[in-house]
Amino acid sequence: MSGLFLIILIPFLYAVIVPFIFKRIPQLHTGWFVLPIPVVLFVYLVKHITLVAEASPFIHTVPWIPSLGINFTTYVDGLALIFGLIISGIGTLVTLYSIYYLSKEREALDNFYVYLLLFMGAMLGVVFSDNILVLYLFWELTSISSFLLIAYWYQRKGSRYGAQKALLITIFGGFAMLAGFLLLANITDTFSIREMILEAGGITAHPLFLTSMVLILLGAFTKSAQFPFHIWLPDAMEAPTPISAYLHSATMVKAGIYLIARFTPIFGGSMEWFWIVSGVGLITLFWGSFSAVKQKDLKAMLAFSTISQLGLIICLLGLGSAAMYYGPGENAVLYIPAILAAIFHLVNHSTFKGCLFMVVGVIDHETGTRDLRRLGGLMGLMPVTFTLAVIGSFSMAGLPPFNGFLSKELFFKGVLNASRLDIFRMETWGMLFPAIAWIASIFTFIYCMIFVFKTFTGKYYPQRLENIKPKKPWGMLFPPAVLASLVILFFFFPNPLAQYLLLPAVASVLPDFAEVGLGLEPIKAWHGWTPELFMTMGVVGIGVFLYINFPKWSGIYGRLPGKFRLNYIYDSLLRITEKSFDRITRGYMTGFLRDYLFYIFAFFVLVLAGVMFVLKSFAFNPALNNSISIYEVVLALAMVGAALMILFSRTKLVAIISLGIMGYLVAMFFVVFRAPDLALTQLVVETVTTVLFLLCFYFLPELTPEIRKIGFNAANMVVALGVGLLVTAMAISAQNNRFFAPISWFFENSHELAGAKNIVNAILVDFRGFDTMLEILVFCIAGIGVYTLIKLCLTEGERNENK
Amino acid sequence: METLMAVIIGILFSIGAYLILSKSLLRIILGSSVIAHGTHLLIITMGGLKTGGPPILGGRADSYTDPLPQALILTAIVINFALTAFLLVLAYRSYAKLGTDNMDQLRGINDE
């Protein structure tokens, strides 16, 4: 599998040519050209299922920045393979679905498929990367492609709002995760997850262990829309439905789950990990299902249901980590099934939720609305869609004969086992887990029933629907039909799935246990009159009762005051941040050039003086000085005098002449310092400059009364003095700090090398010839600038005169 | 000698910086010229002063001053000249167009 990294790169490479296909071949839907990519990836990964399940994982390394220990390492074990199959498998179906969902005449398909491939590549990168920095890179790429896809219909305000919200929240988590990764890399001294797992035993005692764990979990929770960061997911539903099915239910939001599963071998077994992961998961499970019931939009309902199901999986991963506390042995066997249930439910959720999203897309496409208040009685109109909706929702509700029943039972078993834990203070709080899980499942059952029966049964109001297209969208029904058949297939044959996919994945979450055997029983639909079965029966009974009486108790949803809603908090936070930063920016970006120059000078002084102070590089050694003659003293005094005259002059003529004097004095200094060429050049240039000044003198205004005197400004004075002092200090230190031998001896060969006796000239036109050429270029540009300004000015003047 | 030069250079930089921070466009140009002079002197001072004869071969001197700073300064002088000329014309043109050389009034629009 040496070309392993190619499976990550192929989508990226193909994305480059998609726009050209879209432009060149407009008659055929671009989706058909994109479809082969996920198909090829899926087939490629399927071929390796048995190899991964039976042999060791695959690994392949391409050095990227070896000096920093960053390698592009692709690593495929059971966990990564399951995700890879979901990404490419659902990707195939979603691409197929999108061909019928998005019109090739009206939509910008090139954008859509470029973003989709970008996401596919990034997501594969997340699950197949072993290096945490590479993982982070792909992680952020998924956030960015999700942002682009949510804002696909960017003309809509809601899309832009949802996209921004998703980006802000997930990138915030991403940054936290990066910080956590760097801490972890610091603790373990490696960037490779596999090497971290090998060192995992020794790091729990490290003082930064908890910080890094919380930061990494922040990344996972924001990405997987866990409470209280779940608020971005319902707004992300503004994306086209294929995207909601793909990114926001099947794959991207599961990246957080992947991360938690991947890091369980490192962090698992500690009390903090157990409580944070399972607690947040449990709260999200409840809150998501509770909020889903009140939704009026079908997609929003599915979004909250996704939130709640993700919480369920994360809760299971947290509970399963208790096994790590005991280590391989008798006690752990009770908790490993939780991990199995998590992975199993992850697969099941991708099938039934993908199916349901596509069903909503069909309803939306055919009737023009997703609003529950308008829908009703569609059963007769779309019988196939109805069947698919029943399969998907009943599986989600946890009913047989669908795969959701199996994983729901495993989930109940997991929480019941966890309630008997006698570690991590579970003795006192343990019963909360089954209780909350059970209540949440009742709500799950209720919204599943609402989803099916409010849409498809009841009275049919054609006048409430925007448009009714009774044609059969077979292309849009095929992908959900595939998923629905998987839902049933997994119910009847869970164990081949478990053997080839689930158990290898469990083994990579719990590597220590895999060596001694996981001790898992085969998954069975019927396992006697167990407590979990009674729980399910209770869910169904109470669920049906509450569903029928829904109007009587739906009043509780209005109780939460608006100020405590998370969306309100998010919006105010955003508004306050924008306002205060706007004020800060306006505070120092005054629009006065002088202020900006002031900042530049002050920064220059502070930084350089600071460096000088920290490095203690100031050195003063008067012994190195050469002698001073009387001429030089006179020149120096004249120089200072001329400079002061410029400063205090009240007319521009005096100032210009003083500047000219100064220039000539500099030329004199050059003479004293044995630099004849410089002296000559300086004389010529100074003459021309003075002439130029005097020429402009005629046009430039006299120093106006209010600024005739330069005035005194204490702050400017301090900064200007600081600049002077700093330069003096630098000049003195430069004399006493010689790091390298001068290279100037080389130029003494100028006669032999360049045929010139004047060394300075030889340097300019020969040794540094290119430099001089570019200098001439600068001169030309300045000349063009001067010429253009004068010309422009004349035409402007003419235009004014003509008026 | 070097210490004396360092002090003079410091004075030139101070005056130049103060001029640049003033309101008049003309003073800003003058200030940049003053700083340019200071820079030229700074470069030649950092290369060491009066360590030998002028860097022309075939003379009587058996040692030369460092020619490299001189070459650098020569470039700097010319570039500075181009810059000053450009600034002057820019000042002239903005005055002709806008009728002021007060930087406070050349602030641009209030709210962008």
Side-chain angles (χ1 to χ4, degrees), chain A residues 281-581:
Chain A
L282 196 68
I283 294 169
T284 313
L285 165 66
F286 169 73
W287 188 249
S289 64
F290 178 71
S291 307
V293 174
K294 69 172 171 186
Q295 300 306 316
K296 296 287 171 250
D297 180 0
L298 284 179
K299 266 179 101 175
M301 181 181 274
L302 288 185
F304 276 103
S305 127
T306 305
I307 291 167
S308 127
Q309 302 281 315
L310 293 170
L312 187 155
I313 300 171
I314 285 180
C315 177
L316 279 171
L317 285 174
L319 296 177
S321 75
M324 300 267 303
Y325 176 84
Y326 291 111
E330 286 280 307
N331 287 326
V333 171
L334 276 176
Y335 311 107
I336 299 174
I339 303 275
L340 176 70
I343 309 276
F344 191 29
H345 198 69
L346 174 102
V347 176
N348 294 344
H349 178 251
S350 295
T351 55
F352 65 68
K353 191 55 69 65
C355 172
L356 286 177
F357 265 110
M358 290 176 182
V359 162
V360 171
V362 173
I363 295 170
D364 193 10
H365 201 258
E366 299 301 299
T367 65
T369 184
R370 317 187 292 250
D371 195 326
L372 273 174
R373 284 162 298 193
R374 295 186 183 188
L375 293 166
L378 296 179
M379 186 162 34
L381 222 62
M382 1 178 135
V384 181
T385 319
F386 170 69
T387 315
L388 296 174
V390 166
I391 296 174
S393 348
F394 283 20
S395 173
M396 182 154 72
L399 297 176
F402 307 110
N403 58 5
F405 172 72
L406 299 180
S407 45
K408 207 50 162 287
E409 295 276 283
L410 277 172
F411 167 62
F412 283 145
K413 195 173 164 193
V415 285
L416 284 173
N417 283 345
S419 68
R420 290 186 219 120
L421 268 176
D422 52 2
I423 49 164
F424 303 151
R425 305 216 183 95
M426 281 294 278
E427 315 87 346
T428 19
W429 302 101
M431 273 323 282
L432 273 180
F433 279 82
I436 296 178
W438 190 67
I439 296 170
S441 297
I442 293 174
F443 282 109
T444 307
F445 184 85
I446 295 171
Y447 71 70
C448 290
M449 294 308 114
I450 293 177
F451 183 89
V452 175
F453 293 112
K454 290 262 191 250
T455 315
F456 290 98
T457 62
K459 211 162 174 328
Y460 172 52
Y461 299 102
Q463 68 277 10
R464 289 190 192 167
L465 309 177
E466 280 173 21
N467 57 327
I468 303 152
K469 286 179 274 182
K471 63 168 184 186
K472 298 282 175 228
W474 292 118
M476 284 170 73
L477 285 173
F478 176 69
V482 171
L483 290 172
S485 47
L486 283 178
V487 166
I488 299 175
L489 203 67
F490 287 166
F491 175 79
F492 288 108
F493 306 103
N495 287 314
L497 178 80
Q499 190 193 339
Y500 284 106
L501 284 175
L502 306 182
L503 292 182
V506 175
S508 34
V509 179
L510 300 169
D512 295 346
F513 298 83
E515 289 160 18
V516 295
L518 292 163
L520 285 168
E521 298 166 9
I523 305 168
K524 277 185 293 194
W526 174 255
H527 31 73
W529 296 100
T530 50
E532 2 346 341
L533 190 64
F534 288 117
M535 281 173 89
T536 305
M537 285 157 68
V539 165
V540 175
I542 298 180
V544 168
F545 175 75
L546 284 177
Y547 170 68
I548 292 166
N549 295 308
F550 180 60
K552 289 182 191 153
W553 58 273
S554 59
I556 55 162
Y557 285 106
R559 292 287 166 85
L560 188 64
K563 284 206 169 178
F564 292 105
R565 295 212 173 118
L566 287 164
N567 271 321
Y568 177 82
I569 295 171
Y570 165 84
D571 288 338
S572 352
L573 211 63
L574 196 65
R575 206 174 51 242
I576 292 166
T577 324
E578 272 178 7
K579 258 192 185 164
S580 50
F581 278 98

Side-chain angles (χ1 to χ4, degrees), chain B residues 66 78 103:
Chain B
D66 197 337
V78 177
M103 291 312 287

Side-chain angles (χ1 to χ4, degrees), chain A residues 107-143:
Chain A
E107 308 288 357
L109 292 177
D110 46 349
N111 293 358
F112 182 81
Y113 287 109
V114 167
Y115 302 157
L116 193 73
L117 285 169
L118 193 69
F119 169 75
M120 207 180 282
M123 192 67 209
L124 287 169
V126 167
V127 297
F128 288 148
S129 293
D130 176 58
N131 188 297
I132 49 172
L133 291 183
V134 179
L135 191 154
Y136 171 74
L137 177 84
F138 285 123
W139 179 278
E140 295 294 38
L141 253 181
T142 61
S143 292

Side-chain angles (χ1 to χ4, degrees), chain A residues 18-99:
Chain A
V18 163
F20 297 103
I21 295 176
F22 178 70
K23 288 264 153 43
R24 284 292 153 88
I25 315 174
Q27 57 273 23
L28 198 57
H29 199 286
T30 315
W32 291 114
F33 295 98
V34 177
L35 191 58
I37 298 293
V39 172
V40 165
L41 294 176
F42 186 71
V43 171
Y44 181 82
L45 289 173
V46 164
K47 276 172 70 183
H48 290 90
I49 289 177
T50 46
L51 284 169
V52 171
E54 283 159 13
S56 53
F58 291 96
I59 184 158
H60 180 249
T61 299
V62 179
W64 185 15
I65 315 174
S67 57
L68 295 178
I70 299 174
N71 293 317
F72 198 90
T73 303
T74 0
Y75 179 67
V76 181
D77 61 355
L79 185 66
L81 190 67
I82 279 202
F83 275 91
L85 285 170
I86 292 175
I87 294 160
S88 54
I90 306 272
T92 307
L93 296 174
V94 159
T95 313
L96 184 63
Y97 183 82
S98 69
I99 293 172

Side-chain angles (χ1 to χ4, degrees), chain A residues 586 590-594 597-598 601 620 624-628 632 636 639-640 643-644 646-647 649 652 655 659 662-663 666 669-670 672-678 681-682 685-686 688-689 692-693 696 699-701 703 706-713 716-717 720-721 723-724 727-728 731-732 734-735 738 743-744 747-748 750-751 756-760 763-764 768 775 778-779 782 785-786 789-790 792-793 796, chain B residues 1-31 33-35 37-38 40-42 44-58 63-79 81-86 88-93 95-97 100-108 110-112:
Chain A
R586 272 165 204 281
T590 53
F592 290 114
L593 185 64
R594 202 173 61 239
L597 284 167
F598 183 86
F601 280 131
F620 181 49
L624 292 174
N625 277 351
N626 272 307
S627 56
I628 307 176
E632 289 146 11
M639 186 80 145
V640 173
L644 288 173
I646 299 177
L647 190 60
S649 70
K652 53 182 178 169
L659 187 70
M662 224 174 110
V666 171
F669 265 120
F670 288 150
V672 174
F673 296 147
R674 318 283 194 273
D677 299 277
L678 289 188
T681 317
Q682 178 69 28
V685 165
E686 201 52 47
V688 179
T689 310
L692 201 68
F693 260 107
C696 286
F699 297 102
L700 278 178
L703 296 167
E706 74 260 28
I707 55 172
R708 175 166 294 170
K709 243 178 103 183
I710 186 147
F712 177 77
N713 182 323
N716 289 355
M717 175 98 155
L721 281 179
V723 170
V727 173
T728 303
I732 290 173
Q735 190 196 0
R738 300 267 169 201
I743 55 164
S744 300
F747 301 114
E748 289 178 13
S750 67
H751 188 60
K757 289 196 172 173
N758 184 328
I759 304 177
V760 174
I763 293 174
L764 281 177
R768 290 171 63 239
E775 177 197 337
V778 171
F779 216 80
V786 167
L789 280 175
I790 291 172
L792 267 178
C793 204
E796 186 84 8
Chain B
M1 186 69 226
E2 279 86 348
T3 310
L4 176 69
M5 287 311 290
V7 172
I8 292 175
I9 292 161
I11 293 170
L12 290 190
F13 267 88
S14 282
I15 291 174
Y18 197 78
L19 280 169
I20 283 185
L21 291 173
S22 75
K23 285 180 190 170
S24 155
L25 193 54
L26 181 68
R27 283 212 176 98
I28 291 176
I29 303 174
L30 290 170
S33 287
V34 172
I35 286 193
H37 286 316
H40 300 158
L41 292 177
L42 178 64
I44 204 165
T45 308
M46 292 220 259
L49 295 172
K50 299 200 282 187
T51 50
I56 295 172
L57 298 174
S63 72
Y64 307 105
T65 49
D66 197 337
L68 195 57
Q70 298 192 12
L72 292 175
I73 293 167
L74 205 61
T75 309
I77 290 174
V78 177
I79 296 274
F81 171 62
L83 180 73
T84 310
F86 184 76
L88 270 175
V89 176
L90 192 66
Y92 153 63
R93 162 128 167 76
Y95 177 68
K97 177 125 174 83
T100 182
D101 76 331
N102 186 342
M103 291 312 287
D104 285 1
Q105 290 164 21
L106 291 173
R107 207 194 124 194
N110 222 336
D111 193 21
E112 57 227 87

